[in-house]
């Protein structure tokens, strides 16, 4: 039987947008379903062999190496190494799982 009580910090990971600061040259590699919004700085798309990121704001796909538009909602469709690379120090808002490299 599964305990219905979970830690608030666990739930917050999926409900709240987290502010993430990247230094130029760092990448945020996201899990499938993760949402990303660029709030400051300059970043480019990290794609996989299956494609790039879904720009929900514009209604189109962003290809690898393409500049990430500020204040656009991006969704990572698969857990296959996609994300964003900071060209300068950047500020992101992120909801979902990720790792920084």
């Amino acid at each position: 039987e599964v305990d219905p009580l979970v830690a608030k910090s666990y739930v917050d990971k999926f409900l709240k947008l987290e502010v993430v600061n990247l230094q130029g040259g760092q990448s945020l590699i996201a899990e499938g379903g993760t949402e990303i919004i660029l709030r400051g700085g300059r970043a480019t798309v990290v794609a996989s062999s299956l494609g790039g990121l879904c720009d929900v704001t514009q209604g189109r796909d962003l290809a690898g190496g393409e500049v990430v538009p500020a204040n656009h909602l991006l969704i990572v469709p698969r857990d296959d190494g996609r994300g964003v690379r900071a060209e300068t120090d950047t500020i992101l808002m992120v909801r979902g799982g990720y790792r920084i490299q």
Side-chain angles (χ1 to χ4, degrees):
E1 185 173 312
V2 177
D3 187 353
L5 297 177
V6 295
K8 181 181 181 305
S9 61
Y10 177 81
V11 174
D12 284 349
K13 175 182 176 182
F14 299 99
L15 297 179
K16 289 186 177 179
L17 286 162
E18 174 186 358
V19 175
V20 178
N21 294 289
L22 295 180
Q23 295 177 350
Q26 287 185 312
S27 294
L28 180 143
I29 304 303
E31 296 174 2
T34 296
E35 300 170 69
I36 302 168
I37 301 170
L38 175 67
R39 293 290 295 147
R42 179 179 164 90
T44 55
V45 173
V46 175
S48 76
S49 60
L50 296 175
L53 303 179
C54 176
D55 183 339
V56 177
T57 304
Q58 274 188 314
R60 69 181 198 89
D61 287 333
L62 300 178
E66 196 168 340
V67 173
V68 174
N71 300 311
H72 282 216
L73 175 60
L74 309 181
I75 297 178
V76 180
R78 293 176 184 243
D79 190 4
D80 62 357
R82 300 180 209 204
V84 298
R85 181 180 191 282
E87 301 298 321
T88 64
D89 290 353
T90 63
I91 302 168
L92 304 169
M93 293 174 62
V94 181
R95 179 182 1 244
Y98 67 90
R99 70 183 186 279
I100 294 174
Q101 58 185 41

